[in-house]
Amino acid sequence: MVDDMLAHLSSLRDQPAWREMPPSVRAAFDGGAPRAGIGAAAAYEAFVRDVLPYPNGNLHPRFFGWVQGNGTPLGMMADMLAAGLDPHLAGFNHAPALVERQVLDWLAALMGMPGASGLLVSGGTMASTLGLAVARVAKARDLGFDARELGMQQWTDLPSHPPLVFYGSVETHGWARKAAELLGLGNRAFRRVPVDAQYRLDIAALERALDEDRASGLTPFCVVGTAGTVNTGASDDLAALAALCRREKLWFHVDGAFGALAYLSESLRPLVAGLDQADSLGFDLHKWGYLPFECACVLVRDPAIHTGAFATTASYLAGTTRGVIAGGLPFADRGIELTRGFKALKVWMSFMADGVDKLVRMIEQNVEQTRYLVARIEASEDLELLAPAPLNIVCFRYAPPRAHESDLNALNESILVLLQERGIAVPSGTTLGRRFAIRVANTNHRTRREDLDTLVRGVLEIGRELGDGR
Ligand SMILES: *Cc1c(COP(=O)(O)O)cnc(C)c1O
């Protein structure tokens, strides 16, 4: 299995970026649970035949869709060791817990938040949801009520509290809506603030929204800034947002799902300056950290506030000072999961093997490649850049001078699908204003410049083939 998978990884460049599954293979996934087993060898054969050839393509050198990580062989092997050892990471007195603690200390220091409390979680969605959950408990306490005990409900025997609301730009990722709903705040509590021409949160508009909401009896408790928005890679003015939050006594959460990693590079750090002033920060290691799914991190500046939002006591889990449960369950006390796997091992081994400097070089390489792609787009009269590309995301379209604006959305949607179906490359799409964009998000350590040339050639060829939209 290990040999086959390493062979698969080393042949990625010779494979199509994506391949459609034939109906006969699809049908293989329709049967019910087997009563009698077929044995490990036959089960592995089924994997090789029906699963291995049809991944979503994200490991391929020309995969640029959404923002997906691309995995590493060492990360894969570390996940195997983690599953083999299979420790329980609620806490406990074992070496794997020290690995996670060390990884969290490293990440906090690297993000300019030394001493912060943290937790490895499944993804950016979970990381930022936990950040908002801590904000809600902490700020409710400042307002004089216990959100853990009372929730967001209005109890008939207690004085009512005003609705809590939080703010982020219209470009905030979809996690914020899910989190607002899950935390009982309601989608309505997420106040979407317009952006400027650079797709950054409009701070004057935020100030107006705060005034208006307060005047109408709402209680603002948190502002979400984004380091690297999913549409265009824009970053909000995090330093200004941090200052505003201090002034207004609001919690400052930063969603840095992929963009936070730019902080590690001295040359890119100015783009996300102020990130280190967050009260909480969520970011992924399975995107721009290049590690296999799943792995993300939430950091909370004040460790007592962090555990204050989640810690519980159950007598069968009570900590002692000796034995297997010595030290208690610190990780279970920092989030909502109890049983947790050993995600930390792939981070720990990868950081040790490669070092932070190599990670920084790869991130800077992706940004340089993005600038190269932008230059190629700007040099072609048939291509149009649709938004500034400050980081690693490029939004563009095929728009030859002779084409009609009204045809361009359908034309570019077709180009995108054909790029994928022909296995040339896998960008994704988005809509900016009313214009459909082919969107390239480059967190790919396997990409070379020639891969971007192939992408550009593919767009131009398919565009011409489709008759310029007429
Ligand atoms: C990807 C992303 C998320 C969600 O992260 P997951 O790891 O997919 O849960 C949140 N915010 C931004 C800006 C993202 O790019």
Side-chain angles (χ1 to χ4, degrees):
M1 291 178 190
V2 170
D3 287 346
D4 286 356
M5 193 49 66
L6 290 172
H8 170 74
L9 293 180
S10 57
S11 68
L12 285 169
R13 191 167 276 285
D14 308 323
Q15 301 174 27
W18 182 72
R19 66 163 78 78
E20 177 81 58
M21 223 181 300
S24 60
V25 174
R26 238 169 235 290
F29 299 98
D30 289 338
R35 302 297 319 189
I38 53 173
Y44 179 60
E45 258 170 50
F47 166 81
V48 170
R49 186 184 62 234
D50 297 335
V51 180
L52 181 61
Y54 309 103
N56 75 330
N58 60 311
L59 274 62
H60 195 277
R62 287 188 299 281
F63 187 95
F64 311 112
W66 306 276
V67 188
Q68 297 188 7
N70 317 91
T72 60
L74 182 63
M76 173 187 94
M77 298 306 297
D79 265 351
M80 188 186 80
L81 301 182
L85 201 57
D86 201 24
H88 193 296
L89 262 297
F92 294 102
N93 180 16
H94 52 39
L98 298 185
V99 170
E100 178 153 354
R101 197 191 72 190
Q102 184 169 33
V103 162
L104 292 168
D105 285 349
W106 288 347
L107 293 171
L110 288 168
M111 289 298 166
M113 295 171 68
S117 169
L119 189 69
L120 295 184
V121 293
S122 55
T125 297
M126 186 53 76
S128 280
T129 297
L130 292 185
L132 193 67
V134 177
R136 164 182 166 277
V137 171
K139 288 296 162 181
R141 191 177 305 119
D142 291 351
L143 295 165
F145 76 99
D146 179 351
R148 292 190 63 180
E149 176 66 19
L150 305 175
M152 293 290 113
Q153 318 257 41
Q154 304 289 351
W155 297 93
T156 48
D157 58 338
L158 291 172
S160 66
H161 55 78
L164 298 185
V165 293
F166 70 102
Y167 300 78
S169 89
V170 291
E171 293 291 306
T172 306
H173 186 275
W175 71 267
R177 173 177 185 164
K178 282 191 179 176
E181 294 174 3
L182 180 70
L183 296 172
L185 298 160
N187 181 36
R188 190 171 169 177
F190 173 30
R191 320 296 278 181
R192 280 92 164 164
V193 180
V195 288
D196 62 19
Q198 314 295 311
Y199 294 89
R200 292 153 60 104
L201 184 145
D202 178 341
I203 293 187
L206 170 61
E207 286 173 329
R208 281 195 300 277
L210 287 167
D211 287 345
E212 282 166 23
D213 284 349
R214 284 191 176 121
S216 65
L218 305 178
T219 300
F221 76 101
C222 172
V223 174
V224 174
T226 301
T229 59
V230 66
N231 262 339
T232 71
S235 293
D236 295 330
D237 185 342
L238 301 176
L241 288 179
L244 180 146
C245 286
R246 274 195 298 274
R247 205 165 61 235
E248 303 276 350
K249 301 201 169 14
L250 301 172
W251 186 273
F252 182 36
H253 176 78
V254 173
D255 170 14
F258 64 93
L261 277 291
Y263 186 86
L264 304 183
S265 154
E266 261 175 52
S267 63
L268 299 173
R269 190 170 303 152
L271 292 172
V272 295
L275 170 148
D276 47 11
Q277 296 169 49
D279 294 301
S280 55
L281 167 68
F283 59 98
D284 280 310
L285 293 151
H286 63 206
K287 285 180 174 175
W288 227 356
Y290 307 108
L291 294 181
F293 302 138
E294 304 157 346
C295 197
C297 178
V298 59
L299 296 174
V300 178
R301 175 175 305 283
D302 184 325
I305 290 181
H306 189 182
T307 33
F310 298 112
T312 54
T313 47
S315 54
Y316 61 93
L317 296 173
T320 60
T321 54
R322 293 171 57 191
V324 179
I325 202 168
L329 305 177
F331 301 124
D333 285 348
R334 296 178 201 174
I336 58 175
E337 290 174 322
L338 176 63
T339 302
R340 304 170 59 255
F342 195 12
K343 295 190 215 356
L345 186 63
K346 59 190 164 193
V347 190
W348 194 71
M349 286 181 65
S350 299
F351 272 51
M352 263 203 278
D354 294 329
V356 178
D357 290 346
K358 181 167 174 186
L359 178 60
V360 170
R361 278 200 304 279
M362 300 311 295
I363 289 169
E364 289 174 350
Q365 173 171 296
N366 287 147
V367 174
E368 276 159 28
Q369 289 169 336
T370 304
R371 290 180 187 150
Y372 173 74
L373 178 60
V374 167
R376 289 236 31 199
I377 291 164
E378 287 180 329
S380 165
E381 64 165 16
D382 290 347
L383 299 177
E384 181 187 5
L385 189 68
L386 289 181
L391 208 54
N392 60 335
I393 295 184
V394 184
C395 292
F396 72 107
R397 65 179 178 176
Y398 181 69
R402 53 203 177 276
H404 296 299
E405 178 65 39
S406 58
D407 296 329
L408 288 177
N409 283 1
L411 174 60
N412 279 279
E413 282 177 47
S414 301
I415 293 172
L416 175 63
V417 169
L418 286 173
L419 281 169
Q420 296 179 357
E421 286 181 344
R422 292 181 187 177
I424 298 169
V426 181
S428 55
T430 191
T431 302
L432 296 170
R434 290 162 179 273
R435 299 187 295 182
F436 181 83
I438 298 171
R439 175 176 157 288
V440 171
N442 185 3
T443 57
N444 197 330
H445 55 90
R446 296 190 181 89
T447 300
R448 303 176 189 156
R449 279 189 176 196
E450 69 202 54
D451 295 309
L452 298 168
D453 293 335
T454 302
L455 167 71
V456 169
R457 197 164 50 242
V459 170
L460 291 172
E461 278 173 13
I462 295 172
R464 282 168 197 150
E465 179 187 317
L466 293 179
D468 293 356
R470 262 170 257 181

